[in-house]
Amino acid sequence: MASTWEPGAPGVLRLPSGRLVRGRGLARPLPEGPEPEFALYLLDRTPPAVAWEDRWVRWPDFGLPSDDAATGAALREAWTRADRERVEVACVGGRGRTGTALACLAVLDGVPARGAVAYVREHYLPGAVETPGQERFVTRFG
């Protein structure tokens, strides 16, 4: 069985550069295998304590982050660290906010903003990025 950080493993998005990022819904148990070394949590409340380094972006369910500058910095950090560390991006369900963030990471990785949502839906989860506002957020990101 594939490790949770290998291409093709459930929830793992391989970006064009080869970086691997695991998307996850916090409502589900932590997958077996190695733990993240860094995680970006996209929640409207303080995330649970974890044993690895993490960042929290205040982001309501079905909405948009409350601070664009802080969100951009956190996404850039996650993208940079994914080059050498196991990075996880997570919200409660692992679809809308997580998919939106993964699409932004794809933009940072060179995917055109207008194609980033389609890229994430093809390579991560077909239902990722749940609202028109989240789609617009990705096309404006960069």
Side-chain angles (χ1 to χ4, degrees), residues 38-42 47 52-57 73-74 77-78 81 88 90:
F38 176 78
L40 178 57
Y41 296 120
L42 316 164
W52 46 87
E53 190 176 353
D54 68 309
R55 297 283 176 274
W56 169 41
V57 170
E77 180 180 7
R81 293 177 78 146
E88 173 176 88

Side-chain angles (χ1 to χ4, degrees), residues 80-130:
T80 298
R81 293 177 78 146
D83 190 40
R84 63 189 188 288
E85 297 176 52
R86 291 184 305 273
V87 171
E88 173 176 88
V89 175
C91 63
V92 174
R95 298 173 64 92
R97 293 170 283 185
T98 296
T100 302
L102 291 174
C104 290
L105 295 181
V107 171
L108 290 173
D109 209 63
V111 175
R114 293 211 175 269
V117 170
Y119 183 88
V120 168
R121 287 177 176 162
E122 179 180 347
H123 298 283
Y124 168 65
L125 185 69
V129 188
E130 295 176 309

